[in-house]
Amino acid sequence: MQTVLGQPTLTGIFFFLLFVAATLYITYWAAKRTRTTAEFYAAGRSITGLQNGLALAGDYMSAASFLGIAGLVSLKGYDGLIYAVGWLVGWPIVMFLIAEPLRNLGKYTFADVVAYRLKQRPIRTAAATGALITVLFYLIAQMVGAGSLIKLMFGLPYEVAIIIVGCLMIAYVLFGGMLATTWVQIIKACLLLGGATILVFLTLYKFGFNYIELFSSVTSKYGDKFVQPGGLIKNPIDAISLGLALMFGTAGLPHILMRFYTVPDAKEARKSVFYATGFIGYFYILTFTIGFGAAALVGHEIISKIDKGGNMAAPLLAEALGGEIFLGFLAAVAFATILAVVAGLTLAGASAVSHDIYVGVVKRGKADEKQEVKAAKISTLCLGLLAIILGIVFKGQNVAFMVGLAFAVAASANFPALFMSIFWKKFTTQGALASIYTGLILSVVLIILSPTVWVDIFKNPQAIFPLKNPGIISFFGSFIAGIVTSLLTREKEAEEKFESEKIRSYVGIGAE
């Protein structure tokens, strides 16, 4: 099979430029409507539940889940699904525990909620640190992915690719704020769901729309082991640990939590999770089919020859079934996928710096709108440049572990403090700090000592920490630290504010 991957194709460039032109026009349109802080951070709270559901899906379905899961399934079979299932199961947690209180208690960031009845400055510093570290790890993974992807698809040098992505994402966020970012995510979600649906339709058409045919074709090639669990993760504790990080990490990702402030009220916030879960669940059923389809129709040899991790399984399948034109379209969709995610990440990082650190800590909550928007724009620019530099520095590294690390940090540093501050009356400022910093330090240190980094990257013979994902230790460690410290330090003020917090969290009286 001859592939045109890696040579610039006319169709690929056409779809790519079309997408860029459309999104820049939206940015121009949004820039005229973005003046105040509420407009910059939260699109003026004007997004409907369905729009936000699509945008959440667009923010969440990263290139890692589109190219990565399809690739994992195509090479490892059944076990590639653990990521899809783990990432999906996080949504009911967001739905039932987080979405409504978050929307009612906060203003622009999740630190607003953690700090609602606790001491503002230390909490905002800690929460913003957790948010920024999550965002940075996630950004590096996306940028490196973007560079390699564009290099593979359009034959552009890696550095040039990184700079293009960086400049586009800075433009979206800097000029269009949350409004532009939201519409970029909505368009991307529609493109991705559409493209993947067509790809699955073409795949199943080959097998007479019969999944049994597809699976028997796969098992005749690679044996029955391929459709049974155990191909990727041998250790059950590792599987639980990874599952915990993927599930609770979703409920602690700053760029996801931030989207709940873009809707008018808690009812729309719940609706948007409902829609997002539907779109994302449907999407993971598609990637699963694409993975097995690529294994059957393209074959392991070609997939792993082009990319060892299997990331090109979906584009190769598209080329095999729909020729160069469909490949060009999917390449542009994969690019759009990365752009929408990095724009959401940049905005979340910038809001942590400007809203939490600059306004909350440096200015002690006393800054006018103009100053805050200016601070947000400066942070956007700095984060964008940092992302470009880090993307170039990490060239050629295997960055898969960074997404895992981002989820481990989100699950261990961000989620427990957020959860306890909403639901537990005796939670104190010291408890929150203990919880955030314990989760943060444990997840980062244990990932470095785990086989993923200690053996695979530092080339040491033996890992100090046996599990590949630190979730199971850092997640519970964070809760224990928060509970024990809170019980040792009483905080009268925080307990007194709990009743009013509860009413506002359930009913939404006084919500922004």
Side-chain angles (χ1 to χ4, degrees):
M1 174 182 155
Q2 206 49 42
T3 175
V4 293
L5 264 177
Q7 293 112 33
T9 60
L10 277 175
T11 44
I13 293 167
F14 168 74
F15 284 121
F16 171 73
L17 291 176
L18 191 70
F19 176 76
V20 171
T23 47
L24 286 175
Y25 175 74
I26 287 172
T27 309
Y28 167 73
W29 165 82
K32 294 188 290 202
R33 289 167 175 71
T34 302
R35 298 276 181 274
T36 63
T37 41
E39 285 164 351
F40 186 81
Y41 293 133
R45 314 202 191 282
S46 62
I47 308 288
T48 65
L50 175 62
Q51 288 169 345
N52 197 38
L54 264 173
L56 272 166
D59 212 349
Y60 197 63
M61 301 182 299
S62 60
S65 49
F66 173 45
L67 301 172
I69 292 179
L72 267 178
V73 172
S74 74
L75 294 179
K76 303 283 186 217
Y78 183 85
D79 262 20
L81 278 179
I82 185 165
Y83 282 94
V85 174
W87 274 330
L88 181 64
V89 175
W91 284 92
I93 299 172
V94 178
M95 174 87 167
F96 294 117
L97 295 179
I98 302 285
E100 208 173 338
L102 192 78
R103 176 63 195 88
N104 283 335
L105 294 171
K107 201 172 172 184
Y108 304 127
T109 61
F110 80 96
D112 291 339
V113 181
V114 185
Y116 185 80
R117 58 195 173 92
L118 306 174
K119 293 194 177 64
Q120 293 283 331
R121 292 178 72 199
I123 296 288
R124 282 190 186 278
T125 310
T129 309
L132 273 172
I133 287 183
T134 313
V135 164
L136 273 178
F137 282 132
Y138 215 146
L139 254 178
I140 293 172
Q142 294 295 332
M143 291 300 276
V144 174
S148 324
L149 182 76
I150 296 172
K151 191 175 136 193
L152 260 174
M153 299 227 169
F154 301 111
L156 279 174
Y158 179 87
E159 290 75 9
V160 178
I162 295 271
I163 292 167
I164 293 176
V165 175
C167 294
L168 280 169
M169 90 182 174
I170 292 173
Y172 297 152
V173 179
L174 197 61
F175 301 113
M178 182 53 105
L179 193 58
T181 306
T182 300
W183 281 100
V184 169
Q185 286 163 348
I186 292 174
I187 291 176
K188 169 233 140 146
C190 297
L191 282 175
L192 188 55
L193 289 167
T197 305
I198 297 169
L199 188 50
V200 165
F201 181 83
L202 293 174
T203 306
L204 289 177
Y205 178 71
K206 282 268 191 235
F207 295 99
F209 295 99
N210 187 345
Y211 268 102
I212 297 168
E213 291 275 311
L214 170 63
F215 290 132
S216 56
S217 154
V218 171
T219 46
S220 65
K221 258 188 173 175
Y222 308 110
D224 288 343
K225 273 271 185 286
F226 198 70
V227 290
Q228 291 165 0
L232 181 65
I233 296 164
K234 308 278 187 282
N235 177 349
I237 299 176
D238 231 344
I240 294 172
S241 196
L242 176 65
L244 273 177
L246 297 178
M247 272 166 58
F248 291 101
T250 301
L253 289 174
H255 62 294
I256 295 294
L257 298 176
M258 192 176 177
R259 290 227 52 90
F260 291 113
Y261 298 121
T262 61
V263 291
D265 54 36
K267 182 186 173 191
E268 293 295 317
R270 280 198 311 272
K271 251 198 234 143
S272 53
V273 187
F274 176 73
Y275 285 123
T277 313
F279 291 129
I280 292 164
Y282 170 64
F283 173 71
Y284 284 140
I285 295 172
L286 296 180
T287 43
F288 163 74
T289 315
I290 292 168
F292 277 117
L297 298 171
V298 181
H300 283 184
E301 259 175 65
I302 299 172
I303 296 174
S304 40
K305 193 178 86 186
I306 288 191
D307 179 275
K308 278 204 298 291
N311 289 323
M312 291 294 132
L316 284 168
L317 180 65
E319 189 184 22
L321 294 170
E324 194 185 304
I325 294 178
F326 194 37
L327 172 71
F329 173 67
L330 256 190
V333 170
F335 180 73
T337 300
I338 290 178
L339 265 182
V341 176
V342 289
L345 284 167
T346 310
L347 188 54
S351 67
V353 176
S354 57
H355 180 67
D356 295 331
I357 293 176
Y358 175 74
V359 178
V361 180
V362 181
K363 290 282 191 181
R364 296 172 183 266
K366 295 176 180 59
D368 61 18
E369 295 248 318
K370 266 211 171 102
Q371 280 177 311
E372 187 168 344
V373 173
K374 192 176 165 190
K377 292 194 165 177
I378 294 169
S379 338
T380 303
L381 200 58
C382 297
L383 252 173
L385 292 171
L386 185 62
I388 293 174
I389 294 163
L390 287 171
I392 292 172
V393 168
F394 279 92
K395 177 181 181 176
Q397 292 288 334
N398 178 2
V399 288
F401 76 92
M402 287 212 174
V403 176
L405 183 51
F407 272 87
V409 172
S412 322
N414 306 347
F415 175 76
L418 185 60
F419 178 78
M420 288 189 282
S421 114
I422 296 171
F423 293 107
W424 188 36
K425 188 176 179 176
K426 292 195 166 69
F427 197 47
T428 65
T429 302
Q430 298 306 324
L433 295 176
S435 160
I436 292 171
Y437 288 124
T438 305
L440 194 60
I441 292 162
L442 273 178
S443 46
V444 174
V445 171
L446 291 179
I447 267 249
I448 293 171
L449 301 179
S450 78
T452 330
V453 178
W454 202 249
V455 180
D456 299 352
I457 290 174
F458 293 155
K459 306 286 180 239
N460 291 316
Q462 188 72 39
I464 299 170
F465 177 70
L467 300 178
K468 282 189 177 167
N469 197 295
I472 200 162
I473 311 272
S474 55
F475 177 73
F476 291 115
S478 171
F479 268 110
I480 292 164
I483 291 167
V484 172
T485 316
S486 290
L487 292 175
L488 293 175
T489 56
R490 292 275 314 264
E491 202 171 326
K492 273 262 164 52
E493 261 175 85
E495 285 185 34
E496 281 160 12
K497 281 190 198 159
F498 183 73
E499 290 310 312
S500 67
E501 174 182 57
K502 201 158 89 175
I503 290 168
R504 178 163 157 179
S505 141
Y506 289 147
V507 187
I509 295 169
E512 305 270 343

